[in-house]
Amino acid sequence: MSPPNVSRQPVEPVRQDIVLRVEAEMTRLLYRSAGFGLYSNFVLALVLVAGVWTYFPVRQTLGWLVAIFVVSFGRLVLNRTFARRLLRDDQLRLWRSLFYFGVIAAGCTWGVGGWLFLQTDELLPRCLVVFIIAGMNAGAARSLASVRLCYLAYIVTTMSPPALVFLAYREPGSWTLVACTITYALFLFNTARLHRQDLLKLFSLIFENEELVSTLSDAKRRAEAANQAKSEFLATMSHEIRTPMNGIIGMLQLLRDTPLTADQQQQIGIAGKSADTLLRLLDDILDLSKVESGKLDLEEIEFSPAEVGEEVAALFQTQAAGKNLPVAYHAGPGLPPIVIGDPMRVRQVLLNLVGNAVKFTDQGRVEFHIEAVRADAAEALLRFRIKDTGIGMDAATQAKLFQKFSQGDSSMTRRYGGSGLGLAISQSLVRRMGGEIKVVSASGQGSEFYFDLPLLVGRSMDADEAAPAKPKTRLSGRVLVVEDDWGSQRVVEIFLRKLGLEPVIVDNGAEGIELAVRETWDAVLMDIQMPGIDGFEAVRRIRRRIEGRWLPIIALTANVRPEDRSAAEASGMDDFLTKPIRQSDLRSSLERWLKGPN
């Protein structure tokens, strides 16, 4: 059976700069590894001289001992000098050459010792010389392996003279000593070669990994900088778009409250829905950015899941009625009256899913269920199901359903509209809350979306605790509005007058500070982004100058990020309203703060 054809990727050559760094590190390793071997030269020389002292002339023995001590001392000084210096990679070539010459000098001196002290018929000098030289070469196979030429020179200079002496022996079979010497030398050289290859691989991997880590760190920093730039860009664009949208939506709200013909009411409705759609798209893009950057915070507050379901279903009744499409909402019998979670995000997901069901269904019905899969006194697992009889989806469409900017196919986008962001954001939100949206669908047979959320059970509100809704009354008081955008000025001014309040408008922070401190006000509406003195600094200066006097200051801004809300609170603002301003939100905030200090 022939082996399978496996395509082999060519081995990528090591970069030249990595090769140079490895070569430099091998030189440093040469000096680091030589320390113990240098000291052992002194000890082994003394042992050898002590062993051969009675067999050879004293002058010859002491002369060799002095020579090996001088060479070893010189190498030791060289090693110490190298250790004290911080040398760059390009400065190591000279030091490698100096070490190489030191190895040759030491090898030649030990080779001479072998030549001198093996020329005897006595067993002890012969054995002692062979053991010492063989052992030193075995140790050098590790300490000198990092530079191949050094170890090769050491083997040749230390083992060649003894081999020549073995050739001169007249005992039968003395040639076998030469064969053993050559075999031993080859074995040690191969061992040193393998060790050197391992060192080369090790240092190459270390330096490549360092470069990879550095590259990844740089890439991470660039990605974080790009993400920060994207967030800042989105925040800026959100502010710039929301500011004119404040004028558009605000004026549409005011027009809706005036006497209009049926056609005008319809036109106002269409314009309002278009503005809401644009605003919702802007919120989707901001939410997507928050989810991707991990900065989306979820609230943990008590809410009624049944009431959230009723609100969502009610919002689509008019749209569905235009298509003769009933939207049936069912709350399960075991549904907890109060749970703890983020009702705004739950509502956002349900609005998207129910809205899609209504949009993609032309006939039949849409069913919306909230059920308790399981529930006890502490925790409940709620299932949210939206089922329609619309166009349905095939497997290919379902596979890319939760991808960003994806909406089945381009024909669906042309026919039904939409950015393709809603489901991607909804899936991300549900996953953050501990669930996952799933879909069961077939082309032409409708779709069913569902997800389960684990939520803590809250304390049920007793009937006598529920406060009756208060009738709306006209407010009274003077309100200072610090706002630089002309359209927003007009919207807020009309809203305040309709609420019964007297507005005074200024268009810069400096004038707003002076008026807030000099005159008496019931509340201040403060824009954040203004030329010159911004809203944060203006509020800080006002708080310092009024020295604790009661004055509610409400942020009025197109900045919608959580950090903007935190910054507003830190500067001394009491409340936070985002543009486009809803008249109901403005009323609720002013009703709360115009009561005076509690």
Side-chain angles (χ1 to χ4, degrees), residues 384-459:
F384 301 81
R385 289 192 301 117
I386 298 91
K387 186 175 182 179
D388 64 64
T389 57
I391 60 175
M393 294 170 285
D394 55 21
T397 302
Q398 294 178 46
K400 59 181 181 179
L401 193 60
F402 297 104
Q403 297 175 8
K404 290 175 288 187
F405 302 104
S406 174
Q407 195 193 56
D409 56 43
S410 58
S411 63
M412 287 174 64
T413 304
R414 287 194 300 269
R415 180 180 176 188
Y416 294 101
S419 64
L421 282 175
L423 284 177
I425 295 170
S426 296
Q427 183 70 284
S428 299
L429 291 174
V430 171
R431 284 175 176 168
R432 285 290 306 275
M433 291 186 285
E436 183 169 3
I437 300 177
K438 298 180 180 179
V439 58
V440 177
S441 183
S443 184
Q445 299 181 22
S447 304
E448 180 177 2
F449 288 80
Y450 65 94
F451 61 93
D452 297 344
L453 288 185
L455 298 168
L456 297 176
V457 175
R459 185 176 65 89

Side-chain angles (χ1 to χ4, degrees), residues 474-500:
R474 286 178 61 82
L475 305 177
S476 63
R478 298 178 74 228
V479 177
L480 174 63
V481 181
V482 186
E483 168 65 66
D484 66 317
D485 181 71
W486 182 87
S488 296
Q489 290 176 357
R490 302 286 75 76
V491 170
V492 173
E493 181 182 10
I494 296 173
F495 278 177
L496 293 175
R497 292 192 184 282
K498 287 176 70 68
L499 292 174

Side-chain angles (χ1 to χ4, degrees), residues 196-214:
R196 181 175 181 276
Q197 290 178 352
D198 291 341
L199 290 173
L200 287 172
K201 290 180 182 178
L202 174 64
F203 287 127
S204 295
L205 287 174
I206 289 173
F207 293 136
E208 287 173 359
N209 185 63
E210 285 179 357
E211 290 216 352
L212 178 61
V213 170
S214 177

Side-chain angles (χ1 to χ4, degrees), residues 166-415:
F166 294 151
L167 284 174
Y169 284 169
R170 297 189 178 279
E171 292 94 342
S174 59
W175 64 270
T176 57
L177 292 175
V178 179
C180 287
T181 302
I182 295 173
T183 303
Y184 185 61
L186 291 175
F187 168 76
L188 290 179
F189 183 75
N190 185 61
T191 301
R193 181 182 65 83
L194 295 175
H195 185 53
R196 181 175 181 276
Q197 290 178 352
D198 291 341
L199 290 173
L200 287 172
K201 290 180 182 178
L202 174 64
F203 287 127
S204 295
L205 287 174
I206 289 173
F207 293 136
E208 287 173 359
N209 185 63
E210 285 179 357
E211 290 216 352
L212 178 61
V213 170
S214 177
T215 301
L216 290 175
S217 298
D218 290 342
K220 181 174 179 289
R221 283 192 293 271
R222 288 195 298 269
E224 289 174 347
N227 188 59
Q228 180 64 26
K230 180 187 74 173
S231 298
E232 291 175 359
F233 170 78
L234 288 174
T236 302
M237 293 308 298
S238 171
H239 179 274
E240 296 303 319
I241 294 173
R242 282 175 177 275
T243 297
M245 285 294 293
N246 184 49
I248 294 171
I249 294 180
M251 289 301 178
L252 288 174
Q253 292 180 70
L254 293 171
L255 277 174
R256 195 178 291 119
D257 295 336
T258 61
L260 298 171
T261 66
D263 288 343
Q264 289 173 333
Q265 285 283 4
Q266 183 181 21
Q267 292 160 6
I268 292 295
I270 294 172
K273 288 179 182 178
S274 299
D276 289 339
T277 300
L278 179 58
L279 191 61
R280 190 158 51 249
L281 176 60
L282 180 64
D283 289 335
D284 283 348
I285 295 173
L286 289 175
D287 283 343
L288 182 65
S289 175
K290 292 176 188 176
V291 170
E292 289 180 340
S293 62
K295 295 180 179 179
L296 183 70
D297 296 323
L298 298 176
E299 290 185 319
E300 292 291 332
I301 59 177
E302 292 188 344
F303 70 97
S304 167
E307 290 181 4
V308 168
E310 289 174 1
E311 292 172 7
V312 170
L315 284 172
F316 292 99
Q317 293 297 337
T318 302
Q319 180 181 348
K323 303 168 72 173
N324 292 322
L325 188 71
V327 177
Y329 167 64
H330 304 280
L335 200 62
I338 300 294
V339 295
I340 299 174
D342 191 329
M344 185 184 74
R345 296 303 180 184
V346 172
R347 188 182 293 108
Q348 181 179 351
V349 173
L350 294 176
L351 285 171
N352 183 269
L353 296 179
V354 176
N356 282 347
V358 173
K359 179 166 65 173
F360 294 113
T361 303
D362 292 328
Q363 56 184 358
R365 61 189 286 109
V366 173
E367 294 184 3
F368 172 27
H369 300 258
I370 302 180
E371 305 156 337
V373 178
R374 65 172 184 272
D376 53 35
E379 188 177 25
L381 181 66
L382 304 188
R383 174 165 295 172
F384 301 81
R385 289 192 301 117
I386 298 91
K387 186 175 182 179
D388 64 64
T389 57
I391 60 175
M393 294 170 285
D394 55 21
T397 302
Q398 294 178 46
K400 59 181 181 179
L401 193 60
F402 297 104
Q403 297 175 8
K404 290 175 288 187
F405 302 104
S406 174
Q407 195 193 56
D409 56 43
S410 58
S411 63
M412 287 174 64
T413 304
R414 287 194 300 269
R415 180 180 176 188

Side-chain angles (χ1 to χ4, degrees), residues 30 75 96-111 133 137 140 144-145 147-162 185 189 192:
L30 194 66
R75 293 183 66 207
R96 186 163 54 248
S97 300
L98 292 174
F99 192 95
Y100 173 67
F101 292 130
V103 167
I104 292 178
C108 290
T109 307
W110 278 104
I133 292 180
N137 273 277
L144 301 179
V147 178
R148 181 188 303 161
L149 196 59
C150 285
Y151 187 59
L152 180 61
Y154 193 75
I155 288 179
V156 172
T157 54
T158 57
M159 300 188 73
S160 295
F189 183 75

